[in-house]
Amino acid sequence: MHDQDLSAALAEAVVDAAAAGRRLRIEGGGSKAFYGRQAEGEPLAVGAHRGIVSYEPTELVLTARAGTPLADIDAALAAQGQMLGFEPPGFGPGATLGGTVACGFSGPRRPYAGSARDFVLGVRLLNGRGENLRFGGEVMKNVAGYDVSRLQVGALGCLGVLLDVSLKVLPRPQAELTLVQDVTLAGAAIERLNRWAGQPLPLSASAWDDGRLYLRLSGAGSAVRAAATSLGGEVLAEDAAAAYWQGLREHTHAFFAGDAPLWRFSVTPAAAPLDLPGATLIEWGGAQRWWRGEAEPAALFALARAAGGHASRFRGGDRGGEVFQPLAPALAALHTGLKASFDPRGVFNPGRLYAGL
Amino acid sequence: MSAPVNLYTKLAAGVPEHLLLVETEDLRPYECDGLSAYRQVPLLVALPETIEQVQHVLRTCNELRVPVVARGAGTGLSGGALPLAEGVLLSLAKFNRVLDIDPVNRTARVQPGVRNLAISQAVSDLGLYYAPDPSSQIACTIGGNVAENAGGVHCLKYGLTVHNIQSIELVTMTGERLTIGSQALDSAGFDLLALLTGSEGLLGVIVEVTVKLLPKPQVAQVVMAAFDRVDTAGAAVGRIIAEGIIPGGLEMMDQGCIQAAEDYLHAGYPTGAAAILLCELDGTAEEVAEQMEQVQALLRDAGATELRVSRNEQERLLFWAGRKAAFPAVGRLSPDYYCMDGTIPRKELPRVLNGIEALSQEFGLRVLNVFHAGDGNLHPLILFDANREGQLHAAEELGGRILELCVEVGGAITGEHGVGMEKINQMCVQFRREEIVQFHALKAAFDPHGLLNPGKAVPTLNRCAEYGAMRVSRGELRFPELERF
């Protein structure tokens, strides 16, 4: 498919839908259709609005249309020895930049390099009136106006149709190495990860899974080698390491197989192991934990809250019910007000994030 | 006492009277922030000591429709804490305690009036620090840092305030207390933490902040490189980044600033150079040693005429001292100076510097430049004498024109100082009508009566129309449909 700018046609579709009281379900490549609540409305296809608009390697800034495949962006960056610092999962070959930003997904590098929202510099979007608005920009520092750009990250398209996104990008590390250590208990792994995170070590990913602790180190070759010596453990072969982190990021790892609902717990990094039956996979230095199983959502939300964070049903289960941690009433009211300020007629992705939003 | 009795009585029902200031001599210290060209004595100053008192002040003002301006240390440079004659100035100065340090999760929970540097000092023994370091870090407070999304010299590698906080406690104009963010790395729903960071006190009042702490780098070393052309220095920055190195700090000073700093501090700067770069590398000892070799080779290859690497911590601090003292050094050259804060794509540096030079000649005012080169944040310093008729006005107009030049090359009118009162007109150049309308709608979701810091950060459409009438931008009249008065 070729690069094209469909801003005008998309704006027209939004204006028409708003005028007719119709609702729109925004669709990119469809790779993340599993995520969030079941949205109402007719599809609004944005996948053909695609292409890298500008890329300046020495400025560390890339701007691309929302429908641009993540794979195209990765390839363009790799050709210049750069990458997306938040290492986003695609969850399928169709993954687009817009969907990635709307879902706010970040991969294994997140606790050490930053999240999707940390790397967003600016967006262009259509609000519910079909107006083409630009916020933020293509510079690292910009505090003019409210930070509407980062507000879009993880908003699941409820506040507008993303048209293009500007991102800060990073150089690829000069060297990378993965260590594996035997650590039987989750609590011991969490303790180690948090102790190391408080030290100036070149950590770039971590996971504990079935009694094994995986640590990725990135940076200058000498720094990576020195840290590997001090941390200890078995060095994983380069392709095995790449496959491991890829499988973790894309959820193709064996832990993620099966039909039981997949829950994500985002908690205080050093929180004690969660009281859940069966296996838990721990990532992000302890801050992200995955669990598969059937349970009363309210109980899981309470468990996450007690651990300083929140839970979400990442895949599977009843998508008509709540998928994300319920908000305190005053916060929920603010969400409703913000939604109305961007999308007064409730055109975009009704109910995808929360019922009634 | 000029405050209406009704307001005073109602405030005093929830806030002890000694925390409510109404006498002119008590109000005077609050008449301006770091941008002293703008002054206004408020109607009343409230100095609450508890969150309940903050809630009471806001609830009361909301009922009585009295505007409120929140204030931290008052070091802001854009007039964001400028009081309103008919409004309450809400000082958070008494919220000055570090509440909790969590060394394992690497966070600190602090009150908004805690000074930026005091956080790093409080956790230094744990080998941790709080990364954002605005140049006012000795005095500025974390609440204001969040409200302005403050930066510093280490932003390219370590990010702005928005990247370094985990949650805040917010009181809305209706007096409701909300937790924004969580103790995890993200939270459910919209990313309100990002939205509130840098919202300049227009959406709520911050009463507590949980900041992220980072392990202190083992080693830091700085190389100073002299160049005989500014564009060569700019290109050298691009070379370092293209090589895959993200320096901890990367600063540029032009000839005027080098001279001023050298006269002031004798840091050993090469005064004959057109520009110098200060490039600091930090990390593990091995990493710094390896990358310092690479950077020196790159700088030499990029045309540096002289290189000096700090041999010890004392020398590193000396190299930085000149840069950090650039403002007071410039202050010795001129009775007054005005510090601007535009950001640009770095490749546009030569064009912008040439443009600034042309504007400097047009206005007859000298301009010196310091530049956070790594992240494209330019701080032109306009020299003037406020006692000379018309010079303050000329300096402000020149500053405005520089910011518009930044927008023209694809940059922004403010990188870290905020819009406040100062850049309110330039917002009309940065944003279009629909975007400004969207900003107002967003504010109304938090503050329906528009009582929090009104008139700052986001201009009214009428203001833009007036400004547009004065300046026709890019060949077209902006906001042509609005009446002019």
Side-chain angles (χ1 to χ4, degrees), chain B residues 75-98:
Chain B
T75 57
L77 292 173
S78 58
L82 179 72
L84 292 162
E86 74 284 13
V88 167
L89 192 283
L90 178 63
S91 166
L92 281 304
K94 292 193 181 285
F95 288 83
N96 59 3
R97 285 185 304 128
V98 174

Side-chain angles (χ1 to χ4, degrees), chain A residues 318-355:
Chain A
D318 170 20
R319 295 183 64 203
E322 286 307 347
V323 163
F324 299 104
Q325 182 103 13
L327 301 171
L331 264 185
L334 256 187
H335 277 65
T336 305
L338 271 174
K339 164 81 174 170
S341 80
F342 282 89
D343 181 18
R345 292 175 171 240
V347 175
F348 302 131
N349 284 358
R352 182 92 187 245
L353 187 57
Y354 288 105

Side-chain angles (χ1 to χ4, degrees), chain B residues 248-260:
Chain B
L250 190 50
E251 297 287 305
M252 188 191 290
M253 294 165 76
D254 74 0
Q255 187 160 30
C257 270
I258 299 168
Q259 186 71 54

Side-chain angles (χ1 to χ4, degrees), chain A:
Chain A
M1 220 192 287
H2 60 285
D3 290 357
Q4 53 183 340
D5 182 349
L6 297 180
S7 305
L10 290 167
E12 204 176 315
V14 172
V15 170
D16 289 350
R22 284 182 289 121
R23 294 159 158 222
L24 298 173
R25 185 159 44 88
I26 307 165
E27 285 184 357
S31 59
K32 297 163 191 64
F34 66 87
Y35 187 66
R37 299 178 75 254
Q38 192 68 54
E40 300 156 34
E42 306 165 14
L44 177 73
V46 294
H49 176 70
R50 63 198 280 166
I52 294 172
V53 179
S54 67
Y55 172 35
E56 294 279 351
T58 63
E59 305 275 341
L60 299 176
V61 177
L62 176 140
T63 298
R65 297 194 185 99
T68 311
L70 215 44
D72 290 7
I73 293 173
D74 284 339
L77 292 171
Q80 299 292 332
Q82 296 186 337
M83 64 178 190
L84 293 177
F86 55 106
E87 208 176 3
F91 297 130
T96 62
L97 174 62
T100 299
V101 170
C103 290
F105 287 159
S106 306
R109 205 176 297 270
R110 189 270 171 259
Y112 309 101
S115 66
R117 78 85 129 131
D118 290 337
F119 286 93
V120 166
L121 299 175
V123 299
R124 191 181 282 283
L125 61 82
L126 296 172
N127 67 7
R129 297 174 202 88
E131 294 165 340
N132 183 327
L133 308 178
R134 183 175 188 244
F135 300 101
E138 298 187 280
V139 286
M140 294 295 151
K141 290 159 93 175
N142 183 351
V143 293
Y146 301 119
D147 196 343
V148 173
S149 314
R150 291 191 179 97
L151 178 64
Q152 304 306 318
V153 184
L156 286 176
C158 292
L159 300 176
V161 181
L162 290 171
L163 290 177
D164 60 50
V165 181
S166 298
L167 294 167
K168 176 185 177 182
V169 300
L170 287 184
R172 282 178 178 271
Q174 290 168 343
E176 212 150 61
L177 183 148
T178 297
L179 298 171
V180 191
Q181 301 178 347
D182 287 317
V183 183
T184 314
L185 296 174
I190 292 167
E191 189 277 325
R192 279 192 200 189
L193 288 172
N194 282 283
R195 180 157 38 88
W196 289 329
Q199 297 168 12
L201 291 165
L203 282 168
S204 71
S206 57
W208 178 84
D209 145 35
D210 198 19
R212 307 257 282 167
L213 182 61
Y214 296 78
L215 302 164
R216 188 176 64 191
L217 302 165
S218 303
S222 52
V224 166
R225 284 189 300 275
T229 307
S230 84
L231 290 172
E234 174 200 341
V235 176
L236 216 53
E238 214 169 298
D239 38 350
Y244 180 78
W245 297 113
Q246 161 93 3
L248 191 65
R249 186 182 76 177
E250 299 295 340
H251 289 187
T252 53
H253 182 293
F255 175 88
F256 297 96
D259 293 326
L262 173 67
W263 284 82
R264 171 181 185 258
F265 291 83
S266 174
V267 297
T268 310
L274 302 174
D275 184 15
L276 293 164
T280 301
L281 189 148
I282 299 174
E283 266 198 281
W284 291 11
Q288 176 168 266
R289 305 181 190 185
W290 300 97
W291 179 74
R292 298 209 75 135
E294 299 281 356
E296 191 52 51
L300 299 180
F301 291 137
L303 195 62
R305 187 181 303 279
H310 62 104
S312 51
R313 188 144 36 82
F314 201 82
R315 276 179 203 267
D318 170 20
R319 295 183 64 203
E322 286 307 347
V323 163
F324 299 104
Q325 182 103 13
L327 301 171
L331 264 185
L334 256 187
H335 277 65
T336 305
L338 271 174
K339 164 81 174 170
S341 80
F342 282 89
D343 181 18
R345 292 175 171 240
V347 175
F348 302 131
N349 284 358
R352 182 92 187 245
L353 187 57
Y354 288 105
L357 196 69

Side-chain angles (χ1 to χ4, degrees), chain B residues 18-259:
Chain B
H18 71 279
L19 301 177
L20 298 172
L21 310 180
V22 288
E23 303 299 339
T24 308
E25 67 268 28
D26 296 330
L27 300 177
R28 187 70 67 193
Y30 298 90
E31 68 179 352
C32 68
D33 60 13
L35 183 66
S36 56
Y38 295 80
R39 289 170 194 268
Q40 174 60 57
V41 173
L43 182 66
L44 182 151
V45 173
L47 290 152
E49 291 176 321
T50 66
I51 293 176
E52 292 71 27
Q53 290 169 3
V54 172
Q55 291 176 289
H56 177 78
V57 169
L58 290 170
R59 206 178 292 126
T60 304
C61 290
N62 194 50
E63 276 164 22
L64 298 176
R65 304 285 189 264
V66 174
V68 176
V69 177
R71 176 187 170 104
T75 57
L77 292 173
S78 58
L82 179 72
L84 292 162
E86 74 284 13
V88 167
L89 192 283
L90 178 63
S91 166
L92 281 304
K94 292 193 181 285
F95 288 83
N96 59 3
R97 285 185 304 128
V98 174
L99 298 171
D100 184 37
I101 293 166
D102 182 343
V104 181
N105 286 300
R106 292 148 277 121
T107 57
R109 197 161 61 84
V110 303
Q111 291 187 320
V114 171
R115 291 174 303 110
N116 172 296
L117 187 59
I119 300 176
S120 290
Q121 287 168 341
V123 299
S124 178
D125 288 350
L126 300 166
L128 301 171
Y129 78 115
Y130 174 65
D133 58 344
S135 56
S136 56
Q137 71 176 150
I138 285 178
C140 65
T141 54
I142 190 71
N145 287 182
V146 176
E148 302 291 328
N149 194 12
V153 299
H154 293 98
C155 294
L156 183 67
K157 186 166 180 181
Y158 297 105
L160 305 153
T161 303
V162 70
H163 302 110
N164 288 281
I165 59 173
Q166 197 144 25
S167 72
I168 58 176
E169 292 291 307
L170 185 83
V171 179
T172 64
M173 193 63 210
T174 53
E176 207 136 17
R177 178 177 169 173
L178 302 174
T179 301
I180 307 287
S182 76
Q183 302 314 304
L185 297 187
D186 45 39
S187 49
F190 296 144
D191 197 332
L192 299 181
L193 189 60
L195 177 63
L196 283 154
T197 308
S199 61
E200 301 198 24
L202 272 76
L203 303 181
V205 174
I206 296 157
V207 292
E208 199 178 293
V209 183
T210 301
V211 302
K212 295 180 189 171
L213 304 171
L214 297 180
K216 282 193 271 191
Q218 277 176 5
V219 183
Q221 196 174 26
V222 62
V223 54
M224 178 172 67
F227 291 85
D228 53 14
R229 289 171 55 111
V230 170
D231 51 353
T232 320
V237 173
R239 290 278 298 273
I240 293 170
I241 288 167
E243 191 65 18
I245 296 168
I246 305 286
L250 190 50
E251 297 287 305
M252 188 191 290
M253 294 165 76
D254 74 0
Q255 187 160 30
C257 270
I258 299 168
Q259 186 71 54

